[in-house]
Amino acid sequence: MAGRYGRPRSVLRMRTVAGQVFLLQVAIVVLLVAAAMAALVLQSRTDSEREARNRSVAVARTFASAPGMEAALKSPDPTAVLQPRAEAARKLSGVDFIVVMNTDGIRYTHPIANRIGKKFVGTLQPALAGGIVTERITGTIGPLVQAVVPVFGHDGKVVGLVSAGITIRKVSGVVDQQFPLLFGAAAGVLLLTTGGTALVSRRLRRQTHGLGPAEMTRMYEHHDAVLHAVREGVIIVGADGRLLLANDEARRLLGLAADVEGRPVADLGLDPDTARLLSSGRTVTDEVHPVGDRLLAVNQRSTAQAGGPPGSVTTLRDTTELRALTGRAESARGRLKLLYDAGTEIGTTLDVVRTCEELAEFAAARFADIVTVDLAEDVLTGEEPTDTAGTGTGMRRTAVSGAPPDSGLYPVGHLVRFDPATSVGSGIDRGEPVLEPDLTAFRGWHLQNPQRARRIVAHGIHSMIAVPLRARGAILGVVLFWRSQEPGPFEEEELSLAEELVARAAVSIDNARRYTREHTMAITLQRSLLPRGLPEQNAVEAAYRYLPAQAGRGGLGGVGGDWFDIIPLPGARVALVVGDVVGHGLHAAATMGRLRTAVHNFANLDLPPDEILWHLDELVTRIDQDEGAEEAGGSVTGATCLYAIYDPASGTCTMARAGHVQPMVLRPDGTVETAEVPGGPPLGLGGLPFETWQGRLPEGSRLVLFTDGLVEDRDRDIDEGTALLARTLADRPGRTPEETCEAALGALLPESPSDDIALLVARTRVLDAAHIADWDVPPDPSAVAQVRAAAVHKLIEWGLAAEAFTTELILSELVTNSIRYASGPIGVRLIRDSSLICEVSDRSSTSPHLRQAATTDEGGRGLFLVAQLAERWGTRYTAGGKVIWTEQALADGEPFTGADDLLAGAVEGEEPGA
């Protein structure tokens, strides 16, 4: 019972009556046992001392009265005669000492020999007078009792003294041996008494149900008050069917008399059903019974469930007034459930049209027979709705549910312009709902289109509610609820329900509209940052695929940070780039755009792949430092990149990567291998160098660059995906790059991509050796003319005689500069591609620069002349020096005739760059 009040049944916390009685009884028993033991101990000590006195006196008197005692004392050597006798008597009597002394107290005997002849310690005068002395002293052997008695001569005079003594400890040892028995008996008495007390307390605890004194007092004080004050009737019926208790409310509800306790239930005058229920004792929960003009909710339970006496307790509650409210409560509960279900079934996606369709389908099935949803044109495109939506502007019918084709209602996609003169149009202008309980009365709603109105009524549609879709103070559209199958019209209560339903749906529609707007902006941004198409170049035949992750996975669907690039480089070369920014959404897309722009800028410097990645890593680090302090979301760390340069003149490919997945190479014979490009850290970590991989690719090889989204997924690790890609590539090595992209995506693309995918496939080409010409030039100014002549001859052979004069001027300037300012061997190479490329290489790392020569300068116009004659020019650094290159467009037309004008102020020399 104590557990019912939330109290632990602890022996140390005796709050119950039974516990307190038990504790009191145990305390009394313990005190009695302790007192008895103390009395026994004290009595034993008193008896021990008395026994010591008696034994010492008896031993002393016996030894003093022994025959020959007088003669021994008067002998020449009393000690020799008496010491053996005294020791024998001491051992036999069990005393600690027997001392015989003369009348002056000088010892003749003693257990310790060195004390013979010394003065006795003790009181002697009463013994010298013929009396007996007993005293308790503490000697060297501990507390003891000694007795001194006189020794009388034949004439009755005292001729000597005898003392006998014994320690109290020796006497009490016998009593001490009895203590275990005494304590055992005391413990047994304590256990028996405690057990009996526990049994009595247990019975008392059952009778008091574990209640404390204060609780029992409160229970009995408030029992009657609470029982008779509650507004529920309480009836207790015993196992024999007699009424044991009925409170005031039960008497009132059942009309019972005052003296009904103890009478059988069948004799109380109740109706048969109620009497049978009370007598049966069966379990009942909220069972309604009519009693007179009342409806009583009856609950009945057995009283024996918790260990109580057999019988039943019944509670009665008057539900007559509640019954009248049941219908309204059920209706309100149904409406609340309708709104709750609407919150879970409407707005499951962030699509405006789908949200409108969910609203129409839900309301048509649960509230109205037919539902139409019209939205402003701006809302459908994701724009902010205008303040005049619905009056001056049209609304597009977005969703219809429950309407047959011949119902007369506008179909989906129809542009509806609501007339402000109609009740619906004026309600939309005011932002208020409109109830038309009887459409057949034609009270203004039909002015929108009288002919359609008659068709609607003829189809059986007889009632309508129009509710504007409002969100954040703006009108998004209007929802029309039509009733045709149910005969009753819409009522005012249903109007408020329709408002609440539309208000909840409006939030979802507005969220979908805003998402559509943001998603469109993000898609537009990303598409503007990605390549629009492939640039013109002859180094590779390329194809690409870009697939964004699905919506709802880490950000905006369709917006990610993967990118690719094909960048034409001087010398007919091409750069292939694939990158990946971790994450999705606008930030990832913006970061991708920044990195792609940086890659283009660094590529224009014509640097090797490892240096480009180093510059890109340094840029990302600076961006992180600048933006990381202000907003954590601006960090770019987590981007990866693979940069490859392919030279069709030599067929070599150079690659470096920053945390990116390894590319694959499909050779013309069908062999697939992973290019073992040395791994570098992702961009933005900094501090570590990047290494390059270089290899020669046969013509027709496929270089496959991709992001990890292609080979890695939630259900597939990267090794498994890489192996599957290799098998797919080797299956049909003769595919075109477009076919290779389709095959790779068909084999590896998951059903629901969780990451962006960028795939770039490039089939290598090798320039015809007949379109490449190169010469070694000795460092002699006279060799310039020879190079010019050889170049003109080769151009005529290529059918480019029209470019010969311009090429002569360019080669003359570039070769002369190399001879004058550079060192080591000088090389010249002409490449005929989509343009004519001239390259002059030397061992110097100093690059010339273009400047504007003054009118008084004799030189400084050579590079200006080159820049005017060539379409593009620049410098490329190599491991052994540099290459200065120019490109000339090969367009059909007349030969160049304006060189004389350009040569007017030019000289062949040019200052080197700083």
Side-chain angles (χ1 to χ4, degrees), residues 702-783:
R702 273 78 164 177
L703 187 61
V704 183
L705 286 69
F706 52 89
T707 57
D708 57 359
L710 178 66
V711 294
E712 187 177 19
D713 193 58
R714 295 185 304 273
D715 302 325
R716 180 182 61 211
D717 60 29
I718 191 169
D719 293 334
E720 181 183 354
T722 303
L724 179 58
L725 177 61
R727 291 194 299 269
T728 304
L729 295 176
D731 183 38
R732 287 178 55 195
R735 296 188 184 103
T736 65
E738 285 288 343
E739 293 172 344
T740 303
C741 288
E742 289 297 328
L745 292 181
L748 284 96
L749 182 66
E751 182 178 353
S752 301
S754 58
D755 195 6
D756 304 331
I757 296 174
L759 173 63
L760 180 60
V761 178
R763 181 164 60 185
T764 60
R765 295 170 176 165
V766 176
L767 295 180
D768 190 352
H771 291 170
I772 302 174
D774 52 4
W775 303 274
D776 293 328
V777 182
D780 184 357
S782 62

Side-chain angles (χ1 to χ4, degrees), residues 61 235 247 576 641 644 687 700 729 733 867:
R61 290 181 67 180
I235 293 177
N247 69 345
L576 305 174
C641 183
L729 295 176

Side-chain angles (χ1 to χ4, degrees), residues 228-249:
H228 297 289
V230 294
R231 296 191 60 186
E232 286 192 356
V234 178
I235 293 177
I236 299 178
V237 179
D240 56 356
R242 294 182 178 273
L243 181 65
L244 301 180
L245 183 144
N247 69 345
D248 295 343
E249 183 68 9

Side-chain angles (χ1 to χ4, degrees), residues 73-281:
L73 290 172
K74 293 180 179 182
S75 66
D77 190 1
T79 299
V81 177
L82 295 175
Q83 177 68 13
R85 297 178 182 179
E87 284 301 304
R90 178 182 67 82
K91 295 178 180 177
L92 291 174
S93 62
V95 296
D96 290 296
F97 64 87
I98 297 177
V99 177
V100 181
M101 69 196 83
N102 60 16
T103 55
D104 294 329
I106 301 301
R107 301 187 185 99
Y108 290 143
T109 64
H110 198 280
I112 303 175
N114 61 2
R115 295 187 182 183
I116 298 174
K118 295 183 180 179
K119 183 74 173 178
F120 178 78
V121 179
T123 304
L124 302 178
Q125 293 303 323
L128 292 174
I132 297 175
V133 179
T134 60
E135 57 184 343
R136 188 178 187 276
I137 65 173
T138 301
T140 58
I141 60 176
L144 55 88
V145 175
Q146 64 183 10
V148 181
V149 300
V151 179
F152 295 99
H154 66 278
D155 56 358
K157 294 181 180 180
V158 177
V159 295
L161 301 173
V162 176
S163 176
I166 187 171
T167 58
I168 297 175
R169 176 172 53 81
K170 180 178 290 187
V171 177
S172 63
V174 178
V175 180
D176 292 343
Q177 294 174 0
Q178 299 175 356
F179 277 165
L181 178 60
L182 295 176
F183 283 113
V189 172
L190 181 60
L191 289 175
L192 290 175
T193 308
T194 304
T197 303
L199 292 175
V200 174
S201 300
R202 182 178 179 184
R203 181 175 180 83
L204 181 60
R205 185 172 63 250
R206 287 199 305 267
Q207 293 175 350
T208 59
H209 298 286
L211 297 176
E215 294 169 342
M216 292 184 65
T217 301
R218 286 196 301 272
M219 182 185 70
Y220 286 110
E221 286 178 350
H222 297 101
H223 173 268
D224 291 339
V226 172
L227 184 63
H228 297 289
V230 294
R231 296 191 60 186
E232 286 192 356
V234 178
I235 293 177
I236 299 178
V237 179
D240 56 356
R242 294 182 178 273
L243 181 65
L244 301 180
L245 183 144
N247 69 345
D248 295 343
E249 183 68 9
R251 297 173 188 270
R252 185 184 69 84
L253 295 176
L254 298 178
L256 301 178
D259 56 347
V260 293
E261 279 81 357
R263 295 170 57 184
V265 174
D267 298 340
L268 299 180
L270 302 175
D271 64 274
D273 290 340
T274 305
R276 280 194 300 270
L277 174 63
L278 296 179
S279 301
S280 65

